[in-house]
Amino acid sequence: MARPVVAIIGRPNVGKSTLVNRLCKSRESIVHDQPGVTRDRTYQDGYWRDREFMVVDTGGLVFDDDSEFLPEIRAQANLALSEAVLAIVIVDGQQGLTAADEAIAEWLRPQSCNSLVAVNKCESPEQGLAMAAEFWRLGLGEPYPISAIHGAGTGDLLDRVISLLPPKESEVEEEDLIQMAIVGRPNVGKSSLLNAICGEPRAIVSPIRGTTRDAIDTSLRRHNQTWKLIDTAGIRRRRSVDYGPEFFGINRSFKAIERSDVCVLVIDALDGVTEQDQRLAGRIEEEGRACVLVINKWDLVAKDSHTMTMMEKELRSKLYFLDWATMVFTSAMTGQRVESIFSLAAIAVEQHRRRVTTSVVNEVLKDALSWRSPPTTRGGAPGEALLRNTSCK
């Protein structure tokens, strides 16, 4: 990435995502009063004074437990640190120094990036310094008392952050990018597809429904073009979703569709097109987005020389309102045809951005009328009226 990366790490439920939203002046990271909400690493744009940087949010680190998702969360935090120039360790000032905080500090010391300690939940400025004092024992330098919710102390923290970033002259200006949202039902292989595209474990993959919660942004270059890939939470019926992390994740998935240039709608080749797939396709069509239909898990389908043709005909009959969208059969597990998604998406974006002038539309209509004149209705010629209306517009 061209801009320096600042990683936010800490144990569960200390306010990492709240601080990320505060630093980036956004509400993108999901915040909920329960541990383990954030699992993957998610990126947002941060800036302070005249500096721009990337802030990466990570899941809560736990070293003495290998239960569900915790090893994968540690692996994601390791990847975040490998590209970061600075790590901000978030601790809870109200709970005080814990053994888990000390374990994170011990794990962090051999890392090559600089580090800061932010003592969160110091809502009272008078008590902040006293609450932060014991965190000197972590050996990571001066602890900064802050309140991620109210913003107290974050200015001083950001002043210190930008002082530790590389010189501004070393940053490379980024070109315009294409935003590509990867959407679909739960467990159709969206995160596996993202990992196959990136060539690394960018997102946690699990057979458990709802593994991905945040919308995960990833920037990369393909075919001399910069892309921002947005992996989204699996979208299922709202009435089946309880209020909480999954509810917030689905809302962010819909926002990802709105802000994308092209949507990659992932469909399970084994299940075919379901009612929920049709709803998602309809949402993409209503938002006016470019679209590529990706039929994933193609390696699991028993096939002969006619299977692909027959299946495409069947799938398109159920997605008739997206008959203009290109369809590709892929396997995220084997990488089959994964790379072709970029070329197809680039064509879809180019066609979506194309604008046709009124004069061209009139010429097309005149040619069509010369081939076959429409029948008259109530003594008038509807074709002529259509041309007049088009010219007025």
Side-chain angles (χ1 to χ4, degrees):
M1 295 183 181
R3 283 169 290 180
V5 176
V6 177
I8 308 297
I9 64 173
R11 58 187 175 85
N13 233 33
V14 293
K16 297 184 296 300
S17 296
T18 305
L19 180 62
V20 169
N21 288 344
R22 169 67 62 178
L23 298 183
C24 300
K25 298 182 180 180
S26 75
R27 300 179 64 183
E28 292 301 317
S29 289
I30 296 177
V31 176
H32 195 58
D33 190 19
Q34 70 179 58
V37 171
T38 302
R39 292 169 177 170
D40 301 283
R41 65 189 198 274
T42 62
Y43 294 81
Q44 293 191 49
D45 297 324
Y47 60 91
W48 181 248
R49 301 190 187 277
D50 63 339
R51 296 304 308 273
E52 295 183 355
F53 48 90
M54 296 293 295
V55 180
V56 53
D57 189 15
T58 62
L61 289 171
V62 179
F63 291 98
D64 57 354
D65 188 349
D66 286 339
S67 58
E68 182 178 295
F69 297 123
L70 292 177
E72 290 85 358
I73 289 173
R74 291 196 294 270
Q76 291 292 313
N78 265 316
L79 290 170
L81 285 181
S82 68
E83 61 186 1
V85 298
L86 174 66
I88 302 179
V89 182
I90 313 300
V91 294
D92 189 328
Q94 294 183 1
Q95 290 187 1
L97 183 63
T98 67
D101 296 325
E102 293 177 334
I104 291 172
E106 188 69 26
W107 169 75
L108 187 62
R109 285 192 191 97
Q111 304 290 340
S112 58
C113 61
N114 293 318
S115 59
L116 288 176
V117 177
V119 185
N120 194 25
K121 305 183 183 179
C122 296
E123 318 300 344
S124 169
E126 296 77 15
Q127 297 178 349
L129 292 176
M131 295 170 67
E134 67 173 317
F135 291 96
W136 280 97
R137 290 164 50 192
L138 291 177
L140 298 177
E142 179 183 357
Y144 288 80
I146 64 167
S147 170
I149 291 181
H150 299 108
T154 53
D156 294 335
L157 177 66
L158 282 168
D159 284 340
R160 181 57 178 158
V161 166
I162 63 175
S163 72
L164 295 173
L165 297 181
K168 189 175 182 180
E169 291 72 23
S170 65
E171 297 177 18
V172 179
E173 185 177 350
E174 295 181 347
E175 64 172 317
D176 291 337
L177 49 77
I178 296 176
Q179 298 196 82
M180 183 167 70
I182 304 174
V183 299
R185 295 183 294 110
N187 278 33
V188 295
K190 299 182 298 299
S191 295
S192 297
L193 187 65
L194 176 67
N195 291 345
I197 291 172
C198 297
E200 65 168 5
R202 180 63 188 82
I204 295 175
V205 175
S206 167
I208 300 173
R209 175 173 296 184
T211 297
T212 301
R213 288 170 169 172
D214 291 278
I216 303 170
D217 290 10
T218 303
S219 296
L220 48 75
R221 285 191 64 82
R222 287 292 190 280
H223 307 303
N224 297 319
Q225 170 67 52
T226 302
W227 299 75
K228 178 181 279 189
L229 275 57
I230 311 167
D231 184 24
T232 62
I235 303 174
R236 57 193 183 117
R237 294 183 181 181
R238 286 181 180 269
R239 67 188 182 199
S240 304
V241 178
D242 295 329
Y243 184 82
E246 186 180 3
F247 175 84
F248 301 137
I250 290 175
N251 284 340
R252 281 157 175 75
S253 298
F254 286 139
K255 290 180 181 178
I257 293 175
E258 294 172 7
R259 65 186 170 101
S260 67
D261 296 301
V262 57
C263 290
V264 171
L265 177 58
V266 184
I267 295 173
D268 191 321
L270 299 177
D271 296 338
V273 175
T274 67
E275 184 179 350
Q276 186 62 10
D277 291 322
Q278 292 176 319
R279 287 196 178 95
L280 282 173
R283 183 69 174 249
I284 294 170
E285 194 269 341
E286 289 171 6
E287 294 291 343
R289 302 296 91 192
C291 182
V292 175
L293 300 172
V294 172
I295 314 304
N296 194 32
K297 305 183 184 179
W298 187 238
D299 57 311
L300 302 180
V301 175
K303 44 191 171 290
D304 55 31
S305 58
H306 305 288
T307 305
M308 183 180 294
T309 303
M310 294 175 59
M311 181 171 286
E312 179 173 357
K313 184 177 180 180
E314 179 184 350
L315 296 174
R316 287 195 180 279
S317 68
K318 296 180 179 179
L319 296 174
Y320 56 88
F321 43 88
L322 289 182
D323 57 354
W324 43 266
T326 304
M327 183 178 293
V328 59
F329 294 80
T330 69
S331 168
M333 293 300 295
T334 66
Q336 184 182 22
R337 300 190 190 92
V338 168
E339 195 64 25
S340 66
I341 293 174
F342 287 101
S343 58
L344 297 175
I347 295 172
V349 170
E350 180 184 358
Q351 294 174 341
H352 182 263
R353 291 175 175 176
R354 185 179 301 162
R355 295 295 178 263
V356 180
T357 62
T358 302
S359 60
V360 173
V361 174
N362 287 339
E363 288 295 327
V364 172
L365 288 173
K366 286 181 179 178
D367 287 343
L369 291 171
S370 67
W371 299 334
R372 182 173 182 178
S373 298
T376 58
T377 303
R378 297 179 181 178
E384 296 176 359
L386 179 61
L387 283 176
R388 287 196 300 271
N389 292 337
T390 305
S391 300
C392 292
K393 295 179 181 178

